Each structure stands twice: as C-alpha cells, then as structure tokens.
Amino acid sequence: MFCEQCEQTASGQGCHQWGACGKGPEVNALQDLLVYVLRGLAPVVLKAEALGLPVREINAFTCEALFATMTNVNFDGDRFKTYIRQALDRRNSLQAAIASAGDTEPWPAIATYEPQWDESLSSQGQDASLLLLQEAEGNIDIFSLKLTTLYGLKGMVAYASHAWELGQWDDNLFHFTQEILSKLGDTHLEVGDWVALALAVGQWNFRAMELLDSGHTGTYGHPVPTPVPLTAQAGKAILVSGHDIKHLATLLEQTRDRGITVYTHGELLPAHGYPKLKADNPHLYGHYGTAWQNQVHDFAKFPGAIVVTTNCLMPPHGEYSPKLFTVGAVGYQGLQYLEGETPDFEPAIAKALELPGFAASDVETDQPPRSVLTGFAHQAVLGVADQVIEAVKSGKIRHFFLVGGCDGAKPGRTYYTEFVEKVPEDCIVLTLACGKFRFFDKNLGHIGELPRLMDVGQCNDAYSAIQIALGLATAFDIGVNELPLSMVLSWYEQKAVAVLLTLLHLGIKDIRLGPTLPAFLSPNVLAILSQTYQLKAITTPDADLAACLA
C-alpha cells in the first residue's frame, strides 16, 4: 500500500505496510479503487447533466462515497465493495439513459472500466492508485498538486454531505466535484493550472461550509455561549462522537423520556451551543472525554452505548466493541452499523439500557462541577463587536490568535498547549475543531466581559472564524491581513486540507501550520505556497509568539 493523505504518515513520508490510522492494505486498495470508479462516473454525470437528466441524487452519493475514503472514517472492506458496485450501477444506468437520449459518443476508458470480482480486487485497486502517478507523467510537482486537490476535495465533500442531510445543497458545487474528479487524469494541465484547481477547491469548500452553517443555524438556531458540564450525572448513558449534529438530534429525539442521558464526545461538543437543540432535549447533558485519538481510553471507560457519526474512528478494542455503533459513512468490520439517513437507534438505546450507566459513586461530589464554554460562533462574537473594537482601540486587546484544527496522537502537538498557555493576558484566543482539546478546559480569564478563550465550534466552523475576521476587518476598515490576528493551525486529515485551501483562496497570509507539513507537498509546491502566502511551519511557542506580536 501507499498512503500519505494524513499528517501521521510513517516517518513523515507515507504508510507502506500498514496505515498509521489502522487501515490495512486491502482496505486502502479498495478505497483507491472506489476513487478510480468515481473518477469514471464523473464524465458520465457531467454529460447527463448537460442533457438535462436528473443527477442530484448521484452527486450526493458521490460525496458520501468519497467521504468514506477519508482518514479514520471507514475500515470495512465489504462496505467499500458495496460503494464500488453502487457507483458502477449508477454509471451504467446513466449511460443507458444518455444513449436513449440520442447521444452515442464513445466514453473514455475510465468510464467503461469493469473490475474483476474475484480475489484480485485488491491488486486492481493498487493498480488504480498507481495510475494517478503515471498520469502525472513523471512530474512530481503535478503529482503533488493532484494529491492536494484530491485530498482537499475529500474534505469538501464531507461538509457537503452533512449539508445535504440538512436539506442544503448547491448544484454548482456538485458540478465542480464531478469536474475535478474528471480532470484528475488530465495530462495537458501545467503546474499553474493545478495550483488554480487546488485553490478552486478552497473556494468551493467555503461554499460547502456556508451551506452547512445555514443548515445548522436554520435548523437549530445560531449558537450562543453555553457552559457545558465535564462531569457526569448518575443514570443510563449514550455517548455520541464525530461531527454529525443531525444524527445527534435524531438520537436525542428517539431517546426522549427513555431515562437516558446523552453526552457528546470530540467534535460534537459545540452542539451544546445550538439553542433549539438544547431547548428540545434536556437530556443532552454534558461532554465526556476529549479528542478522537483518546477514544480508546474514553470509550473503554464509558459505562453506556457509544455512537460514532463521522470521522474520526479508531480501530476499536474488543472490550468496548459490543457497545459501539456506527452510522452514515462510518464503518468497521464487526461493528453494528445503523443504516439510513435517519437511522433507527433502537439497538444503541437497548444497549444503553442494558449497561450500568453512571453510578452515584461515579459522579464527582467532593468538588465544584467542571465545565467549559462553547458557542462563540460568528453571530455571537460579531454581536459584541462594539465591545471588541473598543477594547482594541483602548489597548485592552493587543492581538487575536486563532489556535485550532485537527488533533492527533503523534508527538509534538504539546506545542499548541504551550503556545496558548504563553499567550499574553492582553490577547484573545479563538479556537475550533478538535485541536482545542489540548487546552479547552484552561481558565484564561477575561478581558472586560470577553472571555480570553472562545470556542468557535467544529472544524467546519472555520466558516464562522472567517466571518468573524471579515466582520472585524470591515469594522476597522482594513484588510483581513492587516488585522492584529495570527492563525496557528494543526492539521491531521483531509478536512484540514480543504480548510487550508479555503484560507489560501481568500488570500489569508502568514498562517503557521503544524505539527509537520504535509508529506504530499513537493519542495517546489511548498515553495510556491510559502512565497505567495507566507505559509510557514511552526517552530517553538516562544519564537512564534514573538514573531506574531512583533
């Protein structure tokens, strides 16, 4: 196998024997084969679209299937075989409809590919993965940019899939997805063309995050600053991990009046900030555990059922596998999978009622309850923009830092904790995504009535952070890059790639990225990004703080 799409690749180069995420060679090959089949589906969808044939459902399927190939989403080889069959069935049906419409133009070879359904399927996937390199015709920079574009696209369609669940979509975004998939094999594009395509992924990822923001706020209200307990309460319990707030809402509806307390885990912490979700579901109580890479410890100790809604799933330990359920694009062989856009959570509910839950002795009673604040999305922060502006003008706020992104288990991520701890007391820290769990429970105090640590939300709420920056830039009548704002980001998987491309598309400069730079960026591509956008690697907290505040 060969995979370098995440930050934790072996030796910083790529995983060759077994994925650092726990993905095996066979699953890796099936994922690559699925991507190849989706690339063959793309020109068929574009032709059907041009002829006025309905393609929206197929576009949504493409997004979900590509989402499943992201790091730590799906490890189930059988599920990937199903996705491949479904993609081929949709392609063949669409080709028949196009022929019936009178278009008999021959298809490219990739659009007529049929795998051999035997024991060689994995090796066919390995061959398909090599084609992307061969199509770059030996140009390592073009290969690097193709990977950057593909990985950014994977992150973008993940957000688009969540938005689709909430009734939000943009047919132009779907069209762009198919265009990129169809162009991955293009041998006529130069380095500059691929840079432009990668930045276009960033542009459309901004649209995907906007759609998801509209879906969340239109359904559950705009987030408001909300304290979230970090301590448990006695009783039966279900833990919900991942990012999918609609699946969380569905489970809350099905557990209403069932005597079960629902806790969030990982990137679902910001769900507590949505007022309609909280008002309708008093049994959504608190947050348990921290970031995804700690789930082996968190899940083993949790005394109830656990539902994983999106990435990031780690290969589970047998001790807690029987109480673990997956939905959506998530899967692992042997785990119970709850199918459908609106899953029936009854098996998870039954497991929660069977398990002991938290005993009274488990609940901390000898000290004040611990909690954290979440819900500082764009409306909440810009709603007090006058206070922020006055604090800056009066010198009470010297600088803003956006410190967040994807967390991970690889050594070196303590940088972010140390950085936040050393931020001067006259500075504000905005944070988002699971990177915040390095410091989310620290009490940094206030500047006036403004907390110095503000949780903007999930990784997709980079949209909120951007809106905050744009709003403040407008209020000060300056450009975003002139704001007293520094971005210090951590990355792990492909959603982070998509968000980074969005920031670059918007022209935001001087971003610090770590803990290491992507292995799929060639030296020349990295030089282009460094020269154009001053993108740089993190160094040490002290040195980077000094540079930001200079």
Side-chain angles (χ1 to χ4, degrees):
M1 67 178 287
F2 176 71
C3 183
E4 57 178 358
Q5 68 178 1
C6 84
E7 192 271 334
Q8 293 190 172
T9 53
S11 303
Q13 300 294 320
C15 296
H16 302 277
Q17 303 298 324
W18 200 272
C21 63
K23 175 177 61 179
E26 180 179 3
V27 169
N28 180 73
L30 292 173
Q31 289 181 353
D32 288 340
L33 187 59
L34 174 58
V35 171
Y36 184 75
V37 169
L38 292 174
R39 287 175 55 196
L41 173 62
V44 183
V45 174
L46 292 172
K47 175 64 71 67
E49 182 184 54
L51 292 173
L53 298 174
V55 294
R56 186 174 292 162
E57 294 287 343
I58 295 178
N59 280 321
F61 164 80
T62 297
C63 289
E64 179 189 328
L66 198 56
F67 178 15
T69 70
M70 279 178 48
T71 305
N72 289 89
V73 177
N74 199 313
F75 300 79
D76 188 343
D78 290 338
R79 290 275 300 281
F80 284 108
K81 291 175 184 177
T82 298
Y83 276 127
I84 292 167
R85 289 185 187 276
Q86 290 173 335
L88 292 170
D89 289 345
R90 285 165 167 78
R91 184 200 71 187
N92 295 339
S93 295
L94 210 51
Q95 286 175 336
I98 290 168
S100 296
D103 191 312
T104 57
E105 185 177 345
W107 296 106
I110 195 172
T112 59
Y113 169 76
E114 291 286 348
Q116 297 297 314
W117 291 97
D118 54 28
E119 64 278 358
S120 70
L121 198 62
S122 293
S123 62
Q124 294 172 60
Q126 293 170 358
D127 292 341
S129 69
L130 291 174
L131 284 175
L132 200 62
L133 176 60
Q134 294 168 3
E135 289 160 349
E137 297 185 329
N139 189 317
I140 192 63
D141 299 324
I142 287 180
F143 182 56
S144 171
L145 286 162
K146 282 189 176 188
L147 292 178
T148 303
T149 303
L150 174 60
Y151 298 158
L153 190 72
K154 289 186 179 188
M156 185 200 83
V157 298
Y159 295 140
S161 289
H162 292 317
W164 168 266
E165 289 178 345
L166 292 163
Q168 300 287 321
W169 67 83
D170 184 334
D171 288 328
N172 292 319
L173 186 150
F174 284 154
H175 176 85
F176 173 78
T177 300
Q178 302 293 357
E179 272 200 326
I180 291 295
L181 286 171
S182 67
K183 285 181 178 179
L184 284 173
D186 197 308
T187 59
H188 301 96
L189 299 177
E190 302 294 337
V191 167
D193 301 318
W194 281 107
V195 170
L197 284 174
L199 293 177
V201 171
Q203 175 186 355
W204 282 103
N205 182 62
F206 188 66
R207 176 59 175 152
M209 292 191 297
E210 179 185 35
L211 290 168
L212 185 51
D213 181 79
S214 296
H216 283 155
T217 58
T219 307
Y220 310 114
H222 283 275
V224 296
T226 304
V228 183
L230 296 179
T231 49
Q233 63 181 11
K236 304 293 186 179
I238 292 180
L239 185 64
V240 189
S241 188
H243 304 72
D244 200 308
I245 293 177
K246 183 182 179 184
H247 280 146
L248 171 63
T250 301
L251 184 141
L252 288 168
E253 182 179 345
Q254 294 180 22
T255 50
R256 226 170 264 157
D257 302 320
R258 301 288 295 271
I260 296 173
T261 300
V262 176
Y263 299 82
T264 56
H265 179 269
E267 287 239 53
L268 277 174
L269 168 63
H272 294 270
Y274 289 95
K276 293 181 183 178
L277 193 68
K278 287 288 286 184
D280 295 340
N281 301 288
H283 59 306
L284 174 60
Y285 170 69
H287 189 79
Y288 183 91
T290 54
W292 66 271
Q293 78 276 2
N294 298 320
Q295 67 187 245
V296 172
H297 174 266
D298 294 341
F299 289 1
K301 289 180 63 179
F302 189 77
I306 304 163
V307 176
V308 182
T309 64
T310 59
N311 59 317
C312 302
L313 173 69
M314 294 183 69
H317 283 205
E319 61 183 296
Y320 63 79
S321 293
K323 62 182 181 183
L324 191 57
F325 301 82
T326 68
V327 295
V330 188
Y332 196 92
Q333 202 156 32
L335 294 185
Q336 297 183 68
Y337 175 61
L338 307 178
E339 297 186 41
E341 279 193 22
T342 306
D344 179 359
F345 286 103
E346 195 57 38
I349 294 169
K351 179 60 70 173
L353 294 173
E354 171 192 326
L355 292 168
F358 287 101
S361 58
D362 296 327
V363 180
E364 297 179 15
T365 56
D366 58 345
Q367 54 185 320
R370 296 181 300 121
S371 66
V372 293
L373 275 174
T374 192
F376 291 94
H378 56 94
Q379 188 177 75
V381 176
L382 294 178
V384 293
D386 55 340
Q387 297 180 40
V388 175
I389 294 166
E390 176 56 33
V392 172
K393 288 182 176 179
S394 67
K396 293 179 181 177
I397 296 178
R398 178 171 34 149
H399 205 83
F400 296 88
F401 292 93
L402 176 62
V403 186
C406 298
D407 205 354
K410 196 174 182 178
R413 291 177 178 265
T414 54
Y415 164 96
Y416 297 94
T417 308
E418 296 171 19
F419 187 97
V420 169
E421 289 174 340
K422 293 181 176 182
V423 166
E425 292 184 358
D426 58 355
C427 299
I428 296 284
V429 177
L430 301 171
T431 189
L432 51 78
C434 59
K436 64 173 164 273
F437 289 111
R438 293 281 170 176
F439 48 80
F440 80 124
D441 55 351
K442 294 188 178 298
N443 183 3
L444 300 186
H446 290 70
I447 298 177
E449 296 182 0
L450 300 171
R452 288 189 54 234
L453 179 61
M454 299 185 187
D455 178 10
V456 177
Q458 298 179 330
C459 55
N460 49 279
D461 289 313
Y463 175 80
S464 260
I466 292 167
Q467 293 302 316
I468 291 169
L470 294 175
L472 292 177
T474 299
F476 284 108
D477 194 24
I478 57 178
V480 173
N481 289 314
E482 299 174 84
L483 283 170
L485 167 68
S486 298
M487 296 190 180
V488 184
L489 306 180
S490 56
W491 82 283
Y492 173 71
E493 39 84 309
Q494 296 77 65
K495 287 180 179 177
V497 177
V499 171
L500 177 62
L501 292 175
T502 293
L503 295 173
L504 298 181
H505 155 71
L506 293 171
I508 295 175
K509 298 182 177 181
D510 290 312
I511 298 169
R512 285 172 167 78
L513 184 65
T516 60
L517 295 177
F520 52 81
L521 291 182
S522 69
N524 286 339
V525 170
L526 183 58
I528 291 171
L529 299 180
S530 298
Q531 292 164 10
T532 308
Y533 301 101
Q534 288 76 60
L535 178 69
K536 52 183 69 73
I538 60 171
T539 59
T540 67
D542 289 324
D544 289 345
L545 267 172
C548 292
L549 293 172

